Amino acid sequence: MAEAVTTRAALLPAAGTPLRVVELDLAPPGPGEVRVRLHASGVCSDDLNAIDGSVEIPCPVVPGHEGAGVVEEIGVGVRGLAVGDHVALSWAPYCGSCEQCLRDLPHLCGTAWPLMLAGGMLDGTTRLSFGGAVVHHYCFLSSFAERAVVPERSCVRIPAEVPFEIAALVGCAVTSGVGAVWRTAGVRPDERVAVFGLGGTGMSAILGAVVAGASDIVAVDVLPERLEHARAAGATATVVFDGAPEDAAEAVVAASGGGVDYAFESRGRPAAVRAAFLSTRARGAVVMMGVPRGDAEISLPAITIPRMERRVLGSIYGSSRPDRDFPEILNLYLRGRLPLERLISHRMPLDQADDAVAAVRSGEATRAVLKLA
Ligand SMILES: [Zn+2]
Ligand SMILES: [Zn+2]
């Protein structure tokens, strides 16, 4: 009979307050769930949005949606996993029977999304608690913790030789970035690309564009050191974004010989989305990978949409299928074609979760990883 355990975790009591590392109670995995001993968790800008309160989520909550570890307990009815399996975690489990799932769009599952935003598991209840009070889950994962109960469908088995810190990043940043290039846009050899915002997702888009054979890869950011980093990873030109969308776009158009086919934006900032849109050539598309604030609006020169056949594409989780895409990404990593270790700039223990979040917020970190075991 499965028993409840405790786990150390970084708890967010309320939006806008510091994370507190505490011992939480963790109920046993329910039907179709497993408990994972986490080894690593990335800190993503979506965690920042939740922690800062720019996106509203139920609190108290344990943030973190980019984790990897080892299965240590399985719930009733779990068929595809065994204790001891190494897994990377997907924050997009799916029901398999709603309209979007039947359209082969499981990452847009109409059943899982509302439940995820409500802060519970797929049955609407939580496994986490603190002194008897409910603690919410974040994206079904809550990976700022040593242990997590997660849906079986959030687990993708990975080869034992893959480092957990790499597998963790594949759980969000990498898949969002390379997926936007490979799946949402479908960049083909010799197409031109620009990437706005060079955190974990943006840098992953650069690496994905290299693999796709893009002829021009223009990296754009406000921080010069990030541009250097992007150049070392394969960017062919760099542009400093000084806040004026028209200026940045003009520089990208010049650097790419007349505009790009796809301009990827990683933070959901309206000014950067406008700059990315203006950087495209005829038939080009801005690809919005970043999630804007709930009240954000974007201003674009509408006439160029028909006249130049410019497009705006949304991309969530890189339009990916984790079951298919995590193994493909990790296979390229193991063969040395996708140097994902370049994304990790900071490694910190769970006790420094707040510092890790601060390093991502300031832009100092491409990706900060919490080492959990
Ligand atoms: Zn994320
Ligand atoms: Zn569904």
Side-chain angles (χ1 to χ4, degrees):
M1 183 63 194
E3 290 183 3
V5 297
T6 61
T7 179
R8 292 176 72 241
L11 179 72
L12 179 72
T17 65
L19 294 170
R20 282 176 62 198
V21 177
V22 294
E23 190 96 11
L24 297 180
D25 292 307
L26 184 60
E33 298 172 357
V34 304
R35 190 174 72 231
V36 175
R37 176 67 177 94
L38 291 160
H39 284 238
S41 174
V43 178
C44 177
S45 57
D46 293 322
D47 296 309
L48 293 192
N49 291 338
I51 291 167
D52 297 343
S54 60
V55 171
E56 255 182 74
I57 59 161
C59 289
V61 63
V62 175
H65 61 283
E66 206 176 62
V70 180
V71 174
E72 64 175 13
E73 176 105 51
I74 61 173
V76 172
V78 171
R79 302 261 174 273
L81 292 168
V83 171
D85 283 348
H86 290 207
V87 291
L89 300 181
S90 152
W91 53 258
Y94 54 92
C95 73
S97 56
C98 73
E99 183 185 354
Q100 306 316 330
C101 285
L102 293 175
R103 292 174 66 207
D104 204 21
L105 301 170
H107 65 299
L108 301 178
C109 173
T111 306
W113 269 91
L115 292 165
M116 176 169 76
L117 298 174
M121 299 294 286
L122 287 167
D123 69 357
T125 66
T126 72
R127 306 291 166 268
L128 289 164
S129 60
F130 185 41
V134 161
V135 171
H136 292 95
H137 298 259
Y138 185 59
C139 297
F140 302 112
L141 302 183
S142 289
S143 59
F144 291 1
E146 292 177 350
R147 293 186 158 78
V149 170
V150 303
E152 178 185 16
R153 278 186 167 160
S154 283
C155 296
V156 178
R157 248 199 324 255
I158 58 169
E161 64 263 39
V162 174
F164 288 111
E165 61 182 24
I166 297 293
L169 298 197
V170 171
C172 186
V174 172
T175 297
S176 299
V178 303
V181 175
W182 299 348
R183 306 290 183 204
T184 311
V187 171
R188 288 175 298 187
D190 295 326
E191 288 191 314
R192 305 172 187 166
V193 162
V195 180
F196 287 71
L198 303 170
T201 301
M203 279 296 294
S204 296
I206 299 260
L207 296 175
V210 171
V211 171
S215 59
D216 294 81
I217 303 173
V218 185
V220 187
D221 201 286
V222 292
L223 299 173
E225 56 273 23
R226 285 188 157 193
L227 297 176
E228 280 315 302
H229 192 201
R231 199 180 270 281
T236 57
T238 60
V239 168
V240 179
F241 189 86
D242 67 1
E246 288 73 15
D247 294 349
E250 198 177 314
V252 172
V253 169
S256 60
V260 296
D261 297 292
Y262 296 98
F264 298 88
E265 201 281 334
S266 66
R267 290 301 301 275
R269 297 211 169 122
V273 173
R274 177 175 168 85
F277 181 85
L278 295 174
S279 301
T280 58
R281 64 172 167 176
R283 190 59 78 82
V286 54
V287 182
M288 290 179 60
M289 310 185 290
V291 179
R293 289 178 58 105
D295 57 358
E297 306 237 338
I298 296 163
S299 156
L300 301 174
I303 191 171
T304 68
I305 294 177
R307 277 223 184 129
M308 296 174 66
E309 295 195 350
R310 277 171 158 168
R311 294 165 298 151
V312 177
L313 304 178
S315 180
I316 191 79
Y317 219 173
S319 311
S320 71
R321 298 193 59 143
D323 301 341
R324 172 195 64 194
D325 291 315
F326 286 11
E328 181 174 338
I329 288 166
L330 288 171
N331 185 33
L332 287 170
Y333 163 76
L334 288 172
R335 286 156 54 201
R337 292 193 53 208
L338 206 53
L340 301 178
E341 66 282 355
R342 285 182 176 278
L343 302 176
I344 301 172
S345 56
H346 294 61
R347 294 174 178 83
M348 290 157 151
L350 181 61
D351 288 318
Q352 289 175 31
D354 247 348
D355 298 332
V357 168
V360 173
R361 184 185 290 118
S362 71
E364 177 195 333
T366 302
R367 215 18 149 226
V369 174
L370 298 174
K371 305 290 271 185
L372 302 167

